[in-house]
Amino acid sequence: MQNQFIQGRSFGDPGVLSVQSEELGQPDEGQLLLRHTAIGVNFIDILQRRGELASDLPYRLGLEAAGEVLSVGTGVQGFSQGDRIVYAGGPMGAYAKARLLPAARAVRLPDHVDDRTAAAVFFKGLTADYLVHRLRPISPDDAVLFTAAAGGVGQLAVPMLKEVGATVIGTVGSPGKVEAARQVGCDHVLVLPISAEEGVARIKDWTGGRGVAIAYDSVGRDTFDMSLGALSRFGLLVSYGWSSGDVDPVPLARLRQMGSLYVTRPTIADYTASRDDLTAGAERVFDALKKNIIRPRIHAELPLSEAGHAHRMIEDRSTQGSVLLTTEGKDGEA
């Protein structure tokens, strides 16, 4: 079948992306041939386009999409032609009208989750799920810090944290996002930028001097010292992103001096590496949607050919919700 996909032939601004065509064959053993209906755009796609993640040239983008199974390769069990599926986490190549995908990465969609919702929340939802449910047990009297609380992952993780009883202190990048953070469940909100010392002082004040049991930090360099300083004794810092740049190495002696602290740098690839972990996480995300614990927020839907524009929207920090690409645009648009 004839297929169109987005390719980058160099690293740089969104203008390096272009629409390309190819002929897709039938799936090999263990593969599915998919037709995409909705494609999720994530910040990691932007990092790859900029060249901040290792990648060969030319490259394809996209880690997340929902769609329909067109054909099933030999040896594949659990999928049939016509099934609605979603996947997240790779391999890269979701910015396409169709693709071949290892069947082990796909998950069948339940009837109560439509394709747009799936593409809007699956990658971020799986991330929120392992952050909340798999790193460390959270007690109802725990306080946690969540940076970028109004961002894509934050909008899903904060309600999950509230569901297990945590007090959530969120950070946002502008006063205009304070209300969005409160709407998803934050008990207290810090507006950045703020000095590490002032941020820690306010967090300690809100927690009666204890600090937080867990600090979830996706910002990186700009917030790392605050996140570390806000921890209570035996606290855990979860560094899972670096939107402001990567952090410098932390001397182990510093963790000892600050209260026998823990630091981890997790990835969704490790937490969904096994089929059992992937499907269990997916079921928790689908269940949270069914119970209205989490809700999809879609900021914009653009045709596949406007992938560069979708990147600009996210880089401008003008979005409040997911940006999706659809396969309804005219062929060959630039």
Side-chain angles (χ1 to χ4, degrees), residues 161-197:
L161 288 163
K162 296 303 298 179
E163 181 70 11
V164 298
T167 297
V168 182
I169 300 169
T171 77
V172 294
S174 67
K177 292 187 177 182
V178 170
E179 184 57 30
R182 292 194 181 278
Q183 286 179 357
V184 296
C186 287
D187 299 281
H188 308 283
V189 183
L190 279 174
V191 179
L192 304 180
I194 192 173
S195 71
E197 293 78 10

Side-chain angles (χ1 to χ4, degrees), residues 25-34 69 71-76 79 99-104:
Q26 289 301 304
D28 290 333
E29 183 175 0
Q31 289 186 324
L32 299 173
L33 175 61
L34 307 176
V69 176
S71 183
V72 178
T74 59
V76 174
F79 295 99
R99 75 171 300 182
L100 295 165
L101 181 81

Side-chain angles (χ1 to χ4, degrees), residues 40-205:
V41 180
N42 294 284
F43 194 73
I44 196 170
D45 306 340
I46 293 169
L47 294 177
Q48 185 183 11
R49 190 209 75 224
R50 292 175 180 172
E52 297 178 27
L53 296 175
S55 182
D56 296 327
L57 293 173
Y59 56 88
R60 300 192 185 200
L61 294 176
L63 290 167
E64 171 182 39
E68 177 188 358
V69 176
L70 297 181
S71 183
V72 178
T74 59
V76 174
Q77 297 182 346
F79 295 99
S80 302
Q81 182 179 356
D83 282 348
R84 295 170 54 247
I85 64 92
V86 66
Y87 66 90
M92 285 283 188
Y95 288 17
K97 291 195 171 185
R99 75 171 300 182
L100 295 165
L101 181 81
R105 302 311 304 166
V107 176
R108 291 179 63 183
L109 281 172
D111 291 341
H112 67 86
V113 180
D114 63 77
D115 292 11
R116 294 168 61 255
T117 294
V121 307
F122 196 58
F123 186 80
K124 302 174 187 71
L126 287 176
T127 301
D129 173 73
Y130 84 72
L131 291 175
V132 175
H133 296 122
R134 298 192 57 201
L135 294 181
R136 175 184 284 190
I138 298 172
S139 302
D141 60 347
D142 281 339
V144 303
L145 173 67
F146 205 99
T147 64
V153 175
Q155 290 178 12
L156 304 178
V158 172
M160 290 182 182
L161 288 163
K162 296 303 298 179
E163 181 70 11
V164 298
T167 297
V168 182
I169 300 169
T171 77
V172 294
S174 67
K177 292 187 177 182
V178 170
E179 184 57 30
R182 292 194 181 278
Q183 286 179 357
V184 296
C186 287
D187 299 281
H188 308 283
V189 183
L190 279 174
V191 179
L192 304 180
I194 192 173
S195 71
E197 293 78 10
E198 184 179 353
V200 169
R202 294 182 63 182
I203 292 166
K204 291 290 182 72
D205 182 57

Side-chain angles (χ1 to χ4, degrees), residues 204-221:
K204 291 290 182 72
D205 182 57
W206 285 327
T207 58
R210 288 187 309 161
V212 296
I214 307 174
Y216 301 96
D217 195 317
S218 64
V219 177
R221 181 177 297 143

